[in-house]
Amino acid sequence: MESVGVYGFCGCKAKNKMKCDSRWEIAASETAPTSAYSSPARSLGDTGITPLSPSHIVNDTDSNVSEQQSFLVVVAVDFGTTSSGYAYSFTKEPECIHVMRRWEGGDPGVSNQKTPTTILLTPERKFHSFGYAARDFYHDLDPNEAKQWLYLEKFKMKLHTTGDLTMDTDLTAANGKKVKALEIFAYALQYFKEQALKELSDQAGSEFENSDVRWVITVPAIWKQPAKQFMRQAAYQAGLASPENSEQLIIALEPEAASIYCRKLRLHQMIELSSKAAVNGYSGSDTVGAGFTQAKEHIRRNRQSRTFLVENVIGEIWSELEEGDKYVVVDSGGGTVDLTVHQIRLPEGHLKELYKATGGPYGSLGVDYEFEKLLYKIFGEDFIEQFKIKRPAAWVDLMIAFESRKRAAAPDRTNPLNITLPFSFIDYYKKFRGHSVEHALRKSNVDFVKWSSQGMLRMSPDAMNALFKPTIDSIIEHLRDLFQKPEVSTVKFLFLVGGFAEAPLLQQAVQAAFGDQCRIIIPQDVGLTILKGAVLFGLDPAVIKVRRSPLTYGVGVLNRYVEGKHPPEKLLVKDGTRWCTDVFDKFISADQSVALGELVKRSYTPAKPSQLVIVINIYSSEHDNVSFITDPGVKKCGTLRLDLTGTSGTAVPARREIQTLMQFGDTEIKATAIDIATSKSVKVGIDFLNY
């Protein structure tokens, strides 16, 4: 079977493709290339597609709106780095958001509306348990037995930090053994699927089918496209949806979900840091302290009912916003901080992403890493690393003890924080070093950490605050950079959301740095903001109207070769005509505004009537000034293969039209090719993991 690559021909450099009326030509493809230069175009064989028409854009915003009608319920899963949870709403009662049942287990003094993102596999690598159940079971295992079990926590960050993420990327369990990341993410999502369906069935009094559910999974906006796709693949493997029914699953961006929920906030549902009288920009007791007393009471009351009423109104804060007003959502979670700038569009209050999401790995995990570095300093890195491997369950215990004290850190705290060291830590250190933990502390010259005779590390408030400083400094610096951008000047509000936003130290720093530039608002149920916003998004996916494209997308074409303009190694001579190969023909540029459901459409025609297959390869790049598909950073991310057979009995026009469409604006991007003569079509999701 003869196949042809995606190389169309256009010498036109018109900025507005709508105005391009150049005549497209067809190249023959018999002669060999004039250079030995390796080119993707040449390796594809015939380069015989020619565009029939310039691209144009079709706004197809209604296609997404009717999809949700067939689902009875929307279930959102907030898959966090440190903790996870789900919430749901019946489509007939969209004003009621139900947060999942209370979890078994839990830590004293720590709200357990979510469960830790921890997973335990048996020694045979089968799923055993998730969350508190996984942690408690692992903790109770005999130390020698524990070494055989695979315990994983905080593994979501691997998707952010892995540059060359694939379906085969590994994670490392606490015992050092490797396991496929896709398997772990699928197990976790399957666990949430089973929990949610069981709860829904119990409530409905009859078996609830997965086909009745629209699923929403939240991911950081700053994640690269491969990580977002990875999450979708894991959800397919877990049985939440399937590639054939991809609309059943929405991948929501965390700060967007938060933004949607913040629109509904009433005055009693938020704390405004900047509204209180402040000394030096902040007063710990007056603002955060008082606000969070109310907030905890609010959460406590709501936790008993687990149902939140979202009034079908625009909240008071929101009603102050006018057409074109801007606000920043700072989503600070366990692993990452995500900064998104939105603009309000009236009258419906739709959201427009004004500046592409930025951020980085500055979540509350950074505080844990600083604590680990402190332990290195006192006890030696060699001992700590060895202890993690030899006593993995005890290491988990130590980090749990640190977590609860970390939450007690506050700017106005004066008394020390005690962190209990597990007995096996003290015992193993004595065997490892030949002297006591107390001796190590005296010898370490770390003045602000003392040893208490009750077997605890006593940390001064300054010592604890110092552990927060590098992470908080990174967040403030990143925000300062953002506020320098012209698009971000005149921001009215800054919404601080996510689990780490509960930290009074972070609140104080944000208020001190930006309180004079905008109003700083914290939802009272700050840890559940994203979860509830994700449910609202699932009920009405069209609420986000305009996003910024994170990447440049295009296909490879042949252009007429221009001496002095095109590189000599790109010259390809066919039938006496000089072509420039590998030209990157853009569909859309990185950071360009894209409306939800926006379609970019092109028409091609095969160079030879005898062609049986057309192959269209799609490329992407993080840069917007891409010239060639061979430029650094350009990656192939999709292939459309269209079978042109089956027209022998019908009249095929001399210039056969192959329409190519790319649909943008959603968190996933779809491409379609249609043979107009036969109505045959192929679809492909842009794929960042398998090329």
Side-chain angles (χ1 to χ4, degrees):
M1 184 178 279
E2 190 180 357
S3 78
V4 164
V6 49
Y7 292 85
F9 320 104
C10 171
C12 167
K13 288 287 169 248
K15 284 206 168 114
N16 183 346
K17 295 280 187 190
M18 302 287 285
K19 292 179 182 164
C20 163
D21 61 353
S22 62
R23 292 288 161 262
W24 307 90
E25 299 187 42
I26 300 174
S29 53
E30 280 76 30
T31 45
T34 55
S35 124
Y37 173 77
S38 170
S39 149
R42 288 167 186 156
S43 65
L44 287 168
D46 283 355
T47 55
I49 297 179
T50 171
L52 270 178
S53 68
S55 69
H56 59 284
I57 287 171
V58 184
N59 278 323
D60 182 22
T61 49
D62 296 328
S63 60
N64 296 49
V65 178
S66 58
E67 282 169 4
Q68 79 253 35
Q69 301 311 318
S70 57
F71 300 108
L72 299 178
V73 68
V74 168
V75 180
V77 179
D78 180 5
F79 195 126
T81 303
T82 49
S83 61
S84 297
Y86 68 87
Y88 58 93
S89 177
F90 294 97
T91 47
K92 285 195 165 59
E93 293 180 294
E95 67 285 348
C96 288
I97 297 176
H98 308 271
V99 177
M100 66 230 148
R101 292 189 250 220
R102 284 178 66 94
W103 298 98
E104 295 302 314
D107 301 323
V110 176
S111 161
N112 63 341
Q113 281 185 295
K114 287 182 174 177
T115 195
T117 308
T118 51
I119 194 165
L120 183 64
L121 307 188
T122 66
E124 295 75 42
R125 294 172 175 258
K126 294 280 179 279
F127 176 81
H128 179 271
S129 48
F130 187 89
Y132 288 116
R135 220 177 63 179
D136 296 347
F137 186 91
Y138 183 62
H139 169 263
D140 293 340
L141 287 169
D142 173 84
N144 287 323
E145 204 183 342
K147 287 179 207 167
Q148 306 308 311
W149 289 67
L150 286 85
Y151 178 82
L152 295 104
E153 60 178 354
K154 299 166 187 165
F155 49 85
K156 180 182 165 189
M157 276 302 281
K158 182 81 174 183
L159 299 195
H160 181 69
T161 54
T162 305
D164 53 347
L165 185 69
T166 69
M167 305 289 256
D168 294 320
T169 295
D170 284 329
L171 297 172
T172 306
N175 61 1
K177 289 184 180 168
K178 301 263 191 238
V179 61
K180 290 271 173 283
L182 190 68
E183 209 172 288
I184 295 300
F185 279 84
Y187 274 145
L189 289 170
Q190 191 175 353
Y191 171 79
F192 281 113
K193 175 189 163 190
E194 286 166 7
Q195 293 289 316
L197 287 176
K198 186 174 188 313
E199 183 170 343
L200 288 165
S201 299
D202 290 351
Q203 249 196 331
S206 61
E207 200 66 26
F208 219 90
E209 298 296 330
N210 186 62
S211 57
D212 297 328
V213 179
R214 161 166 259 165
W215 294 95
V216 182
I217 299 174
T218 63
V219 301
I222 54 165
W223 268 13
K224 293 199 177 346
Q225 297 301 99
K228 293 173 186 171
Q229 184 187 333
F230 186 95
M231 201 56 116
R232 180 168 278 275
Q233 292 302 324
Y236 289 160
Q237 194 160 313
L240 273 67
S242 66
E244 297 71 41
N245 190 16
S246 60
E247 289 78 16
Q248 190 176 0
L249 169 68
I250 295 174
I251 301 291
L253 306 182
E254 287 162 7
E256 282 188 353
S259 195
I260 291 164
Y261 180 66
C262 287
R263 298 181 339 141
K264 303 278 189 182
L265 288 175
R266 308 305 301 266
L267 289 175
H268 66 275
Q269 295 171 307
M270 63 182 104
I271 303 146
E272 184 170 350
L273 292 187
S274 34
S275 66
K276 307 282 195 287
V279 181
N280 297 329
Y282 176 81
S283 159
S285 55
D286 288 351
T287 57
V288 177
F292 266 86
T293 309
Q294 295 168 5
K296 280 177 179 160
E297 178 59 24
H298 176 80
I299 286 170
R300 189 186 64 74
R301 286 200 310 272
N302 274 305
R303 195 183 304 150
Q304 282 153 9
S305 70
R306 295 183 310 105
T307 299
F308 293 81
L309 280 177
V310 181
E311 297 169 67
N312 192 19
V313 294
I314 296 296
E316 285 103 335
I317 282 281
W318 217 262
S319 62
E320 293 179 35
L321 288 169
E322 296 166 2
E323 174 83 40
D325 277 350
K326 305 164 192 174
Y327 60 95
V328 177
V329 178
V330 180
D331 169 22
S332 45
T336 52
V337 164
D338 243 350
L339 314 175
T340 306
V341 185
H342 280 154
Q343 189 173 37
I344 195 82
R345 296 175 72 185
L346 299 175
E348 306 92 345
H350 288 142
L351 308 182
K352 175 181 180 179
E353 187 183 6
L354 204 63
Y355 184 76
K356 69 177 177 186
T358 60
Y362 319 127
S364 61
L365 278 189
V367 185
D368 299 354
Y369 295 142
E370 289 301 315
F371 178 61
E372 212 172 299
K373 275 157 61 180
L374 180 66
L375 294 177
Y376 284 174
K377 199 169 173 187
I378 299 169
F379 303 108
E381 187 174 346
D382 55 342
F383 165 71
I384 296 295
E385 291 305 318
Q386 192 66 12
F387 179 71
K388 281 186 194 174
I389 293 163
K390 297 290 186 192
R391 302 283 187 273
W395 172 254
V396 170
D397 270 359
L398 174 55
M399 292 313 287
I400 291 167
F402 173 68
E403 179 67 29
S404 69
R405 303 323 295 140
K406 181 172 93 175
R407 287 166 184 261
D412 52 351
R413 191 183 176 97
T414 52
N415 54 328
L417 296 119
N418 294 328
I419 297 161
T420 308
L421 284 181
F423 171 74
S424 64
F425 185 99
I426 298 165
D427 182 53
Y428 191 67
Y429 185 78
K430 186 106 171 53
K431 287 179 185 155
F432 191 88
R433 288 272 191 253
H435 56 246
S436 69
V437 162
E438 190 178 356
H439 174 81
L441 267 163
R442 276 203 311 271
K443 209 177 73 177
S444 70
N445 297 325
V446 177
D447 300 335
F448 39 76
V449 182
K450 304 285 181 222
W451 177 247
S452 130
S453 53
Q454 286 92 21
M456 294 175 180
L457 293 178
R458 286 173 71 83
M459 290 185 74
S460 72
D462 286 349
M464 179 60 90
N465 295 1
L467 299 182
F468 281 77
K469 192 173 186 311
T471 303
I472 289 176
D473 285 353
S474 293
I475 294 170
I476 298 298
E477 189 184 333
H478 214 91
L479 267 167
R480 280 218 172 91
D481 288 349
L482 185 67
F483 272 81
Q484 300 301 317
K485 310 280 184 224
E487 302 95 324
V488 188
S489 57
T490 68
V491 157
K492 272 204 174 175
F493 297 107
L494 185 153
F495 290 101
L496 194 55
V497 302
F500 195 29
E502 292 176 12
L505 289 164
L506 176 59
Q507 294 170 6
Q508 178 206 38
V510 172
Q511 171 59 22
F514 306 104
D516 58 345
Q517 285 175 263
C518 58
R519 290 166 63 185
I520 293 157
I521 310 286
I522 304 172
Q524 290 205 331
D525 48 354
V526 62
L528 296 174
T529 303
I530 289 157
L531 193 49
K532 290 191 271 184
V535 174
L536 293 172
F537 185 41
L539 291 165
D540 180 17
V543 69
I544 303 285
K545 281 296 183 200
V546 180
R547 280 204 182 93
R548 294 270 168 174
S549 175
L551 296 172
T552 297
Y553 293 95
V555 296
V557 301
L558 289 179
N559 276 356
R560 290 287 188 142
Y561 188 83
V562 179
E563 204 71 52
K565 178 185 172 187
H566 292 135
E569 67 270 19
K570 297 288 185 189
L571 175 62
L572 184 68
V573 180
K574 287 177 177 283
D575 261 10
T577 305
R578 291 155 63 83
W579 298 106
C580 179
T581 66
D582 305 330
V583 176
F584 187 102
D585 187 31
K586 277 185 213 172
F587 271 69
I588 206 154
S589 293
D591 206 25
Q592 190 174 329
S593 283
V594 190
L596 187 76
E598 194 165 287
L599 289 170
V600 177
K601 183 156 72 172
R602 308 253 167 119
S603 290
Y604 297 99
T605 188
K608 290 197 285 189
S610 60
Q611 262 173 237
L612 301 179
V613 173
I614 280 181
V615 180
I616 299 174
N617 288 305
I618 301 159
Y619 297 88
S620 68
S621 170
E622 289 183 19
H623 310 290
D624 59 358
N625 57 341
V626 187
S627 301
F628 298 99
I629 60 171
T630 51
D631 285 357
V634 175
K635 295 190 173 94
K636 188 155 90 166
C637 59
T639 299
L640 288 160
R641 287 181 154 273
L642 190 58
D643 180 1
L644 300 183
T645 57
T647 55
S648 50
T650 58
V652 176
R655 285 172 73 71
R656 185 171 185 171
E657 185 179 355
I658 308 297
Q659 255 183 24
T660 306
L661 303 100
M662 279 185 80
Q663 185 170 25
F664 297 95
D666 199 358
T667 42
E668 284 83 39
I669 292 157
K670 300 176 183 77
T672 310
I674 305 161
D675 180 0
I676 300 299
T678 63
S679 299
K680 276 188 188 173
S681 69
V682 284
K683 285 187 180 181
V684 67
I686 302 299
D687 187 345
F688 296 93
L689 295 171
N690 295 308
Y691 282 96

